[in-house]
Amino acid sequence: MLEGKAVVRETDMPHAMQSHAMELAYKALDLHEVSDCRSIAHHIKQKFDEAYGSAWHCVVGKNFGSCITHLCGTFIFFHVEMMEFLIFKDGKDSTESREEAIGALQMESQDGDDA
């Protein structure tokens, strides 16, 4: 288990959700080996899906890059000692079917042609 204090590097989450993310990170670090980043990430993602609906993503590790799209108010990047945590909710509503998404894109494209 890592004992350090969580330090937020970047976020747009409400404070209560930030606190929840860090509490889950500490809990996951207690439950899993520090080297088992996949299990730590899975634990946090599962708990966020349960608490805030599906389509959450969690990346855990010591050195990684990222380029993401997320819903406003659902992003946090923090670290505990050398372990970094990136948690965000996908920009696509998971209840939307593939056909609905394609139809929406086609409608946006047609609207753009009118301008």
Side-chain angles (χ1 to χ4, degrees):
M1 178 184 145
L2 298 176
E3 298 290 335
K5 182 178 185 288
V7 177
V8 176
R9 292 177 61 182
E10 188 75 33
T11 188
D12 69 354
M13 274 184 181
H15 288 289
M17 194 180 286
Q18 291 178 42
S19 295
H20 190 205
M22 291 181 273
E23 287 171 18
L24 289 174
Y26 285 124
K27 179 70 172 174
L29 288 166
D30 283 343
L31 293 172
H32 304 283
E33 293 293 323
V34 174
S35 61
D36 190 1
C37 295
R38 183 175 178 162
S39 294
I40 294 168
H42 182 263
H43 176 84
I44 295 168
K45 183 232 183 318
Q46 185 177 21
K47 296 299 183 184
F48 257 69
D49 281 348
E50 290 170 6
Y52 307 109
S54 64
W56 285 91
H57 301 274
C58 182
V59 181
V60 176
K62 293 184 179 178
N63 186 17
F64 59 87
S66 65
C67 181
I68 64 164
T69 301
H70 65 89
L71 293 174
C72 262
T74 67
F75 170 84
I76 189 168
F77 181 48
F78 65 96
H79 64 90
V80 177
E81 291 183 20
M82 297 303 293
M83 188 69 70
E84 295 182 320
F85 297 82
L86 172 64
I87 305 168
F88 63 97
K89 190 166 187 171
D90 194 340
K92 181 185 175 306
D93 182 354
S94 64
T95 61
E96 181 179 59
S97 73
R98 183 173 186 273
E99 292 76 21
E100 289 171 330
I102 291 170
L105 287 174
Q106 288 172 343
M107 288 179 60
E108 287 174 11
S109 175
Q110 290 169 354
D111 289 343
D113 291 341
D114 294 340

